[in-house]
Amino acid sequence: MTTVLRRIEPGSLAKVYAAVYGSIALLFALPIGCAFSVMGSSGEMGAFGAGIGLVAIIAYPIAGVIGGFVAGFLTAFVYNLVADRVGGVEVELDDLDTLDVL
């Protein structure tokens, strides 16, 4: 069955993007933050250097969530404008009852 995706709810896509971007940022923040903490605490900056790593572990995912939310909202908004003028994306879907899963 072929259907056409004509509209994406901006708030819905924004939440999905926020979750994905935040998760990816957390995956990168953990090793980077740990490395900053180790390098910073062994240098002249002491506890302040280690604190930079902790801030990175907290700030990266927050920035990822905020950036992802904005990107998702803008993506859906622009898609809706374009889809109104040129048509939506054709998507082929299968009915679960007709699939041979096992």
Side-chain angles (χ1 to χ4, degrees), residues 4 11 17 28 31 34 50 56 60 64-65 75-76 86 88 93 96 101:
V4 177
Y17 268 42
F28 284 105
C34 290
Y60 284 3
V65 167
T75 299
V86 299
L93 303 172
L96 287 176
V101 178

Side-chain angles (χ1 to χ4, degrees), residues 9-101:
E9 178 61 37
S12 176
L13 188 64
K15 288 187 284 188
V16 171
Y17 268 42
V20 170
Y21 280 43
S23 299
I24 291 171
L26 181 62
L27 289 175
F28 284 105
L30 289 175
I32 291 171
C34 290
F36 280 153
S37 292
V38 169
M39 289 187 298
S41 65
S42 64
E44 296 175 5
M45 296 175 28
F48 179 74
I52 292 174
L54 182 62
V55 169
I57 291 172
I58 295 170
Y60 284 3
I62 291 172
V65 167
I66 293 169
F69 188 88
V70 171
F73 191 89
L74 290 175
T75 299
F77 181 76
V78 171
Y79 176 85
N80 292 336
L81 290 176
V82 172
D84 283 343
R85 288 168 178 71
V86 299
V89 174
E90 288 187 17
V91 181
E92 187 173 326
L93 303 172
D94 286 330
D95 190 10
L96 287 176
D97 296 334
T98 62
L99 289 177
D100 292 329
V101 178

